[in-house]
Amino acid sequence: LVRLRARLARSQSALGQGLLNILASDTLDDDAWEEIEDTLITADVGVTSASQIVEGLRTKVKVLGTRSPDEVRAMLREELLAQIGPDMDRTVHTGPHQGRPGVVMVVGVNGTGKTTTTGKLARVLVGDGKSVVLGAADTFRAAAADQLETWGSRVGAPVVRKDEGADPASVAFDAVSRGVDEGADSVIVDTAGRLHTKTGLMDELGKVKRVVEKKSQVDDVLLVLDATTGQNGLRQARVFAEAVAVSGIVLTKLDGTAKGGIIIQVQRELGVPVKLVGLGEGPDDLAPFDPEEFVDALLE
Ligand code: GDP
C-alpha cells in the first residue's frame, strides 16, 4: 500500500495540488468554486459527484467560517471520501467453501487487462498458499489462451484451455471440474471480451455462470475497466454490468496517464465497488483498493 500511494501520488497529485491552490487563494468567490468544480470534472470525477463535493465543501467553509489550508484540506478529504463510499465491501471473494473451490469470473472489453488481472490475482492467491486453477474461456483468440498459459506457468497455476472457437462455457465447466477434482481453493475464469450485442454477451456470460454453478458457485464477478479510457470505457462497462451481475471492479492502468477520479464515477454509475487496482504490467502490480489511501494520495 505504501507503494500504491507513492505511485498514485505521482500520477494524480495534480488534482490535489490544483484544488488546494484554488482553495488557498484569497477570493473564494463563485468563480473560484466553479473552477474547483471544473478541476474535479477534468479529473474524471463526473458531473454529479463534482457538484456534490463542491456543495458540501462550500457549505462547510461557510458554516465553519474557516479558511485555514489544513482545515480546508481535511474537509476536501472528507467530501472525496464520502463520494468513494468508504464502507463498501471490497473483499475479493475467492472461496473455498464446503470443500469446493470459489470461482471468480473476470469480464470486460478486450484490451482492458482481463488476462493480466487474472494472472496477477492468481499470483496473489498462490502467494497466500492457495491452489488455483485458471480457465481460458476467451476462446475467440488463441493468443488469449497462450497468454494465460504464460501467466499460469509464471505464477504456478494450471490452465484449462480448449481449441480456438470452443464453447467458453465448456472451458469454464472443465476448469471448475478440475478445481473440484484437485481440491483447489479457487478457480479464476478469464472470459471473452468481444463487444457484440448485449443479448449475445448476456447469453454467453450467463451460460458460463450457469455451468460453473453446476459444480460450485460464482463468488465474484470482476469487471475489468481500463482507467485511461474515461467516458468511453465507462460506456462499455455499463453494457457488461447490464449483461451480468458484476460484484466488483478492477480498475487497470492507474499507473499511466489515467485520472483517478474515474473511480468515483464508475462506482456511482455501476453501483459496484472498485475492489482492485492495476498499477503496471508485472505480476506484483495489483493492489487492493483502499479509499483512505487513495484520497490521501490524491491530496498529496
Ligand atoms: P485483455 O484483452 O483484457 O485480456 O487485456 P490484457 O490482459 O491482454 O492486457 C492488455 C494490455 O494492457 C497488455 O499489454 C497488458 O500488459 C496491459 N496492462 C494490463 N493491466 C495493466 C496495468 O495495470 N497497467 C499497465 N500499465 N498496463 C496494463
Side-chain angles (χ1 to χ4, degrees):
L1 278 178
V2 172
R3 213 165 44 110
L4 164 68
R5 190 165 177 173
R7 290 212 217 162
L8 286 173
R10 202 173 51 219
S11 60
Q12 286 145 23
S13 56
L15 169 63
Q17 240 10 79
L19 287 182
L20 293 172
N21 286 344
I22 307 169
L23 284 166
S25 70
D26 290 337
T27 46
L28 209 44
D29 54 13
D30 284 351
D31 283 351
W33 286 115
E34 203 164 303
E35 202 180 328
I36 291 168
E37 196 165 330
D38 290 349
T39 307
L40 288 165
I41 293 169
T42 307
D44 270 348
V45 164
V47 175
T48 314
S49 290
S51 94
Q52 284 179 356
I53 290 169
V54 167
E55 274 305 297
L57 205 55
R58 215 175 161 160
T59 308
K60 279 186 184 142
V61 166
K62 202 165 157 189
V63 168
L64 298 174
T66 177
R67 292 286 306 281
S68 101
D70 277 355
E71 278 172 310
V72 171
R73 189 176 188 284
M75 288 187 260
L76 176 57
R77 184 182 189 279
E78 218 173 279
E79 292 300 325
L80 284 167
L81 205 53
Q83 292 292 326
I84 288 174
D87 302 324
M88 287 173 130
D89 175 19
R90 295 176 199 275
T91 316
V92 180
H93 300 280
T94 56
H97 29 74
Q98 285 136 29
R100 288 179 183 253
V103 181
V104 177
M105 278 172 65
V106 181
V107 306
V109 181
N110 280 336
T112 52
K114 275 187 311 297
T115 306
T116 307
T117 299
T118 304
K120 289 174 183 173
L121 182 58
R123 159 87 153 203
V124 171
L125 295 175
V126 170
D128 284 345
K130 299 207 168 185
S131 56
V132 180
V133 173
L134 301 177
D138 180 356
T139 55
F140 293 95
R141 299 174 305 145
D146 292 344
Q147 195 191 339
L148 193 64
E149 266 186 347
T150 305
W151 274 102
S153 53
R154 195 193 249 179
V155 307
V159 176
V160 173
R161 66 179 293 181
K162 288 193 173 187
D163 290 340
E164 194 172 342
D167 182 358
S170 81
V171 177
F173 183 80
D174 286 1
V176 179
S177 301
R178 178 156 173 187
V180 170
D181 293 346
E182 293 184 358
D185 296 304
S186 309
V187 177
I188 311 175
V189 180
D190 183 19
T191 65
R194 291 181 312 157
L195 246 195
H196 39 105
T197 62
K198 192 165 97 193
T199 42
L201 194 65
M202 218 181 266
D203 288 348
E204 191 172 301
L205 294 175
K207 194 170 167 199
V208 168
K209 194 156 183 260
R210 275 195 309 280
V211 303
V212 166
E213 282 163 355
K214 285 181 195 291
K215 286 273 171 184
S216 188
Q217 72 181 56
V218 174
D219 291 273
D220 238 320
V221 178
L222 298 179
L223 173 67
V224 179
L225 183 61
D226 177 342
T228 62
T229 55
Q231 299 302 323
N232 194 28
L234 205 56
R235 253 193 306 281
Q236 295 176 335
R238 219 176 284 135
V239 176
F240 276 84
E242 284 165 9
V244 65
V246 172
S247 54
I249 296 156
V250 182
L251 208 55
T252 60
K253 310 187 193 180
L254 267 180
D255 51 306
T257 53
K259 300 163 184 168
I262 195 80
I263 285 182
I264 293 175
Q265 200 175 172
V266 70
Q267 288 189 162
R268 171 181 282 276
E269 292 263 331
L270 304 183
V272 173
V274 171
K275 292 188 168 183
L276 299 167
V277 292
L279 297 165
E281 299 184 87
D284 296 317
D285 295 329
L286 185 71
F289 176 65
D290 181 313
E292 304 241 358
E293 294 280 344
F294 177 72
V295 172
D296 287 339
L298 276 181
L299 295 178
E300 222 152 59

